[in-house]
Amino acid sequence: MAAKAWKVVMVSRDAALLARTAEGDAQAFQQLVDRHSSAVLNVIYRIVLSRADAEDLCQEVFVRLWKQAPAWQDEAKVSTWLYRVASNLAINHYQRVQQRFVLDGDLAEQVSEASTPLDDEPGDSPALTAALSALPEEQRAAIAFRYYREMPVREIADVLGNSPKAVESLLGRARKRLRQLLGENND
């Protein structure tokens, strides 16, 4: 099946599962969780850089989906909604953690020590983890969606609530900063 046709089938299947979830069908909800939890967890992890926190936040995303299902408006794809909630929760969480770490010392060192790679994702080098932790949250989210989820810029813009041009700018600034932090002199 062509990739485009496969996406249409997945989107309509998600919509059908969500409609059943809205009616209280726990089995349909579990199918949505099974289909999307790994991707949501991995994106959250790339933003918060803590496995335990990513797992907690991922669970919160799906609790919100369960609660939102009866009022769901069919204007957005389920995956887009999940990624938007996930990135918002992760960014907010990271900002709270960052404020706490700033009071306690070097954030990059503490985050690097606290991060544990997910089982189904290759771990980043300690240097890359520290460099990612030094990026502003929105830049880190854009990097996570673009390079770890391989999402197109337009879809990232939908998730983050930005224009595609703003996402391209976020990605450009993030790449430039990562090169600086990693000691690469490629401008």
Side-chain angles (χ1 to χ4, degrees):
M1 184 179 298
K4 203 172 210 177
W6 180 249
K7 280 187 175 184
V8 171
V9 169
M10 285 183 61
V11 169
S12 62
R13 182 153 185 234
D14 283 349
L17 288 171
L18 192 58
R20 288 179 34 212
T21 299
E23 296 169 355
D25 185 338
Q27 189 174 28
F29 176 70
Q30 186 59 51
Q31 287 179 20
L32 283 169
V33 171
D34 292 345
R35 289 166 60 96
H36 296 285
S37 63
S38 178
V40 169
L41 177 65
N42 287 323
V43 164
I44 293 171
Y45 173 76
R46 297 298 178 185
I47 297 169
V48 300
L49 303 172
S50 164
R51 180 188 180 108
D53 292 343
E55 289 171 350
D56 290 345
L57 292 168
C58 184
Q59 184 175 6
E60 177 64 23
V61 168
F62 286 98
V63 166
R64 289 183 182 197
L65 180 64
W66 176 260
K67 290 177 181 178
Q68 176 68 28
W72 182 262
Q73 301 295 321
D74 201 24
E75 62 231 19
K77 294 189 309 186
V78 173
S79 61
T80 300
W81 185 89
L82 289 169
Y83 285 138
R84 178 172 285 178
V85 171
S87 64
N88 287 339
L89 284 173
I91 288 168
N92 291 339
H93 172 80
Y94 188 83
Q95 288 171 341
R96 285 190 308 273
V97 168
Q98 184 179 24
Q99 288 172 344
R100 190 175 68 232
F101 279 162
V102 167
L103 297 175
D104 294 337
D106 184 11
L107 173 66
E109 182 181 319
Q110 293 176 24
V111 169
S112 181
E113 290 172 5
S115 64
T116 305
L118 299 174
D119 294 336
D120 59 346
E121 280 285 309
D124 292 333
S125 70
L128 181 56
T129 299
L132 286 169
S133 73
L135 294 177
E137 298 81 24
E138 271 204 328
Q139 288 180 17
R140 195 169 44 258
I143 289 287
F145 286 122
R146 183 72 184 113
Y147 296 104
Y148 293 103
R149 297 280 22 114
E150 299 178 356
M151 290 172 62
V153 169
R154 178 74 208 148
E155 196 170 335
I156 297 168
D158 290 344
V159 169
L160 296 179
N162 289 330
S163 69
K165 200 165 206 61
V167 170
E168 289 172 359
S169 179
L170 284 170
L171 289 168
R173 289 192 314 268
R175 285 188 297 260
K176 182 178 180 181
R177 183 68 179 138
L178 285 172
R179 282 193 299 270
Q180 291 171 342
L181 292 166
L182 295 171
E184 298 174 13
N185 292 324
N186 305 340
D187 288 319

